[in-house]
Amino acid sequence: MPTIRTLLVDAAAKCPDREFVRWKANHVWHNWTFRELLKQTRIVSEMLSLLKLKPGDRVAVVMENRAEWMSAYLGIACCGLTVVPVDYRLQAVELSHILRDSETKAVFASAPVWTVLREIEADLRTLESIVMLDGIVTAQFKDNGVVHCDFSTLALQVENRAKDAESFFNRTGPDEETPASIIYTSGTTGRSKGAILSHRNFCSQIRALEFFQVKPEDNFLLVLPLYHAFAFSACFVVPLAARCSVSMVENMRTIPENMRETQPTVLLAVPLLAEKMMNAIQRKLSKNLLAKTMLSIGLGKAVGRKIIDNLGGRLRLLICGGAASDIKMLKKWARLGIATLEGYGLTETSPICAVNPQDRIRLGTVGPVLPGNELRIADPNEEGVGEIEVRGPCVMKGYFRNENATKEAFDNGWFRTGDLGKLDGQGYLMITGRKKNMIVNREGKNIYPEEVESYLANCPHILESLVLGYHIEEEGKGEHVGCMLVANMERFEEERKAGSSSPLTDEEIRDICLAEAREALRGIATYKHPRKIVVKFEPFQKTQTLKIKRFLYSLD
């Protein structure tokens, strides 16, 4: 099994002048080749030596997607230290918890994080140094026992030493079991825990290349944040191994423009992003009579060719992960001639543990287990549904200094995902819900909220939904099915403008949403129907990967 370090060194040796990463700054596109990436990595590694850090220490990277994120990560991990990748938009309490829990010794950060770091640094007993990008620190100083440095100044100090035979990069290095990252779970159910992921864990993800072909001329579009395991493995480790390129979007609003400029071939997205892109495409198609006619007579690929041209002209593969995808949405992408597939995983599985093979896609499933790993359904019911358990090289080493949580997560070597699913006759996995979300009614019947929510997702006036169990105290044990709906206020406003009518009252909006929900749910068993429905006008709070923070909501 290679390490992340060997992936980088081999790529720089075999194709030094091939472009690896491309980003836009001040309206101009810049790039690093594999040779330049290795050079920048060596410089960061030498900074670690200057800061008196050593293999085994934890170093946090807290910044937005940028080239320096990659060089900082590689500079740390390639020398046997462990990276703690953190969302740069976290509030003080959240960031403080992660840095304290991981016993971080140093932080590499960008300008947006400066104020929060200054607020919490005095309370972080293990923190020794902060290295800031963007010229925030104009002269090195020490405060609260923490040394504050400028990234560019340190880089100039160590640039020559980084080339020496006795450089820190040359003297140190990881093996395959060395922790590469401690990634803190997104917290959809409460306080996050640090999953320890080794070089072996991440490099096991390379076997996904047995399921879909990636060529040196491919260009991955990086939309999701690199601190998230899905983006890190699929848009950083895999392209590094395949020796192809990665293009970073500026932000969510510039995705179409950036796609035209960079001409990506592979797009990895969470379902909500893929859905928003498809909705924008469909709005344009609805105004084009010729395109609508061609789609209706099966000429979707001809229409798709024009759409692909508007997205850079080379897009050939869309991979969705991070949450459940709507099959209808995936089919719409596929009709346009873009291979569209879904995968499944968790932070604790590096993250991909199952994915559809490109030449054997089965929509409605997340594919078979990744080669080299095993997957089973524990304690299946009469429908074959049970908890999904995984073991193999993709599974984490455990939670950082949390033995109780680690023991709870494993069953004789099998990682308990907490998700419910079943396998079809070909070994493809179908996700049915989240174990902790499952509702058990008074008759003992199991209701999976995600199934009910999938029906409500087709309602045009409902933006999103959350199905929850609730109790009626005087009835004792057993739950009833309830639901919160968020009205699609943008849709209501579009219809108001189109009809030049006066705005609807809140009560009228509620009535429309309730009527749509009841109609949509006619196709499922009545015991799954929500007895209590609440209509909201503000979207649910979400994690950075756009999953609803379910623990914040209750109907009790």
Side-chain angles (χ1 to χ4, degrees):
M1 186 73 71
T3 64
I4 294 172
R5 176 189 174 111
T6 58
L7 295 180
L8 170 63
V9 172
D10 289 350
K14 294 177 180 176
C15 44
D17 297 319
R18 184 178 298 164
E19 180 184 279
F20 176 63
V21 61
R22 188 185 313 167
W23 72 97
K24 195 174 186 180
N26 299 319
H27 310 292
V28 177
W29 284 97
H30 306 265
N31 71 79
W32 281 348
T33 62
F34 285 103
R35 187 204 310 274
E36 183 68 17
L37 179 63
L38 179 57
K39 174 187 173 184
Q40 297 299 328
T41 296
R42 284 179 169 275
I43 288 172
V44 172
S45 294
E46 205 59 36
M47 290 185 198
L48 305 179
S49 179
L50 193 66
L51 297 170
K52 296 181 170 54
L53 294 163
K54 59 186 185 302
D57 288 340
R58 270 79 60 197
V59 180
V61 175
V62 195
M63 61 184 82
E64 65 278 19
N65 282 1
R66 54 195 294 171
E68 293 91 344
W69 195 105
M70 293 183 169
S71 63
Y73 184 96
L74 292 169
I76 299 162
C78 288
C79 292
L81 290 81
T82 302
V83 181
V84 182
V86 187
D87 178 1
Y88 72 99
R89 290 169 291 190
L90 292 184
Q91 298 300 309
V93 173
E94 299 168 301
L95 182 57
S96 179
H97 162 66
I98 291 174
L99 298 184
R100 187 184 299 109
D101 189 75
S102 61
E103 299 180 350
T104 287
K105 281 196 173 183
V107 175
F108 282 70
S110 59
V113 194
W114 175 243
T115 303
V116 176
L117 283 173
R118 290 292 281 160
E119 179 183 342
I120 66 176
E121 63 183 23
D123 298 324
L124 302 173
R125 60 180 179 80
T126 62
L127 186 63
E128 298 174 356
S129 52
I130 294 174
V131 181
M132 293 298 305
L133 283 80
D134 306 320
I136 295 296
V137 177
T138 55
Q140 184 170 311
F141 69 95
K142 188 171 184 177
D143 192 21
N144 297 315
V146 179
V147 176
H148 302 75
C149 317
D150 175 62
F151 184 93
S152 298
T153 302
L154 283 185
L156 287 173
Q157 288 180 25
V158 303
E159 187 171 2
N160 289 329
R161 286 167 51 184
K163 303 172 187 175
D164 291 347
E166 290 301 309
S167 68
F168 191 65
F169 186 90
N170 288 349
R171 289 186 286 111
T172 57
D175 60 35
E176 62 180 52
E177 295 302 332
T178 301
S181 296
I182 298 176
I183 300 183
Y184 280 75
T185 54
S186 57
T188 57
T189 56
R191 181 56 67 91
S192 57
K193 303 182 290 290
I196 306 170
L197 296 164
S198 67
H199 286 258
R200 178 174 182 256
N201 291 147
F202 285 126
C203 289
S204 73
Q205 301 287 284
I206 298 167
R207 297 204 64 179
L209 294 173
E210 297 177 31
F211 280 2
F212 49 86
Q213 188 179 25
V214 177
K215 305 173 184 177
E217 57 267 26
D218 271 320
N219 176 20
F220 283 62
L221 189 72
L222 178 58
V223 178
L224 305 175
L226 281 166
Y227 59 76
H228 187 257
F230 181 38
F232 178 78
S233 287
C235 279
F236 187 21
V237 176
V238 169
L240 192 59
R243 298 168 193 161
C244 59
S245 62
V246 178
S247 295
M248 297 183 178
V249 301
E250 296 170 87
N251 54 60
M252 290 295 179
R253 295 185 301 276
T254 63
I255 289 174
E257 175 189 344
N258 293 161
M259 290 185 76
R260 288 190 291 272
E261 293 170 329
T262 62
Q263 300 180 318
T265 58
V266 181
L267 171 62
L268 293 104
V270 293
L272 185 58
L273 172 61
E275 189 172 314
K276 284 186 174 182
M277 292 178 68
M278 178 50 63
N279 288 343
I281 289 169
Q282 294 225 287
R283 280 195 294 271
K284 290 182 179 179
L285 291 178
S286 66
K287 299 173 183 177
N288 187 318
L289 180 59
L290 177 60
K292 287 170 64 177
T293 303
M294 293 174 71
L295 283 169
S296 68
I297 60 175
L299 296 178
K301 289 186 179 181
V303 176
R305 185 65 261 165
K306 179 65 175 175
I307 291 168
I308 292 171
D309 287 343
N310 289 332
L311 297 175
R314 300 176 63 215
L315 187 63
R316 64 176 183 82
L317 181 61
L318 169 66
I319 303 174
C320 277
S325 297
D326 178 14
I327 297 177
K328 291 182 179 178
M329 181 269 292
L330 296 177
K331 286 180 177 178
K332 288 172 184 175
W333 278 104
R335 284 176 67 192
L336 300 177
I338 297 169
T340 307
L341 54 96
E342 193 174 5
Y344 164 74
L346 304 90
T347 298
E348 291 89 342
T349 58
S350 308
I352 305 168
C353 61
V355 67
N356 268 279
Q358 187 177 341
D359 59 348
R360 302 188 307 280
I361 296 172
R362 294 173 65 86
L363 292 179
T365 79
V366 293
V369 67
L370 207 65
N373 296 279
E374 298 174 85
L375 186 149
R376 73 179 185 183
I377 304 299
D379 302 320
N381 62 15
E382 64 278 1
E383 298 173 351
V385 174
E387 184 173 5
I388 302 162
E389 296 185 349
V390 185
R391 72 177 178 186
C394 76
V395 177
M396 68 170 182
K397 299 168 75 72
Y399 294 112
F400 184 70
R401 296 192 178 166
N402 194 334
E403 290 185 15
N404 290 335
T406 300
K407 286 178 182 177
E408 290 175 8
F410 286 89
D411 176 12
N412 292 320
W414 289 87
F415 174 67
R416 295 167 162 163
T417 66
D419 288 321
L420 298 168
K422 61 182 179 180
L423 294 166
D424 69 9
Q426 284 70 46
Y428 283 59
L429 177 64
M430 292 177 279
I431 310 296
T432 59
R434 181 83 185 155
K435 189 175 182 180
K436 289 183 179 179
N437 299 337
M438 187 176 70
I439 300 165
V440 182
N441 70 10
R442 298 180 71 203
E443 289 76 41
K445 293 183 179 292
N446 296 338
I447 298 99
Y448 306 118
E450 293 83 356
E451 178 191 8
V452 182
E453 290 163 4
S454 70
Y455 281 83
L456 296 171
N458 297 316
C459 299
H461 292 94
I462 297 174
L463 182 66
E464 52 189 354
S465 65
L466 186 59
V467 174
L468 303 163
Y470 69 97
H471 299 83
I472 297 177
E473 189 172 342
E474 56 269 24
E475 291 184 358
K477 294 183 178 180
E479 295 177 286
H480 292 288
V481 182
C483 181
M484 291 182 178
L485 305 176
V486 175
N488 189 341
M489 300 306 292
E490 186 176 322
R491 176 66 177 259
F492 280 109
E493 181 60 17
E494 287 176 355
E495 291 177 352
R496 185 192 70 79
K497 289 180 179 178
S500 300
S501 57
S502 57
L504 297 174
T505 65
D506 287 356
E507 196 60 40
E508 288 171 328
I509 289 172
R510 285 192 185 94
D511 289 343
I512 291 171
C513 290
L514 290 172
E516 278 192 3
R518 293 187 179 110
E519 180 64 26
L521 295 174
R522 287 177 63 185
I524 61 174
T526 54
Y527 73 86
K528 300 178 183 178
H529 287 202
R531 288 179 54 174
K532 180 192 291 188
I533 300 179
V534 175
V535 178
K536 293 167 53 68
F537 296 90
E538 295 293 330
F540 297 116
Q541 291 189 47
K542 299 179 181 67
T543 67
Q544 293 304 318
T545 51
L546 305 179
K547 296 176 186 174
I548 297 171
K549 294 183 177 180
R550 288 180 177 266
F551 69 93
L552 294 177
Y553 301 95
S554 172
L555 288 168
D556 283 323

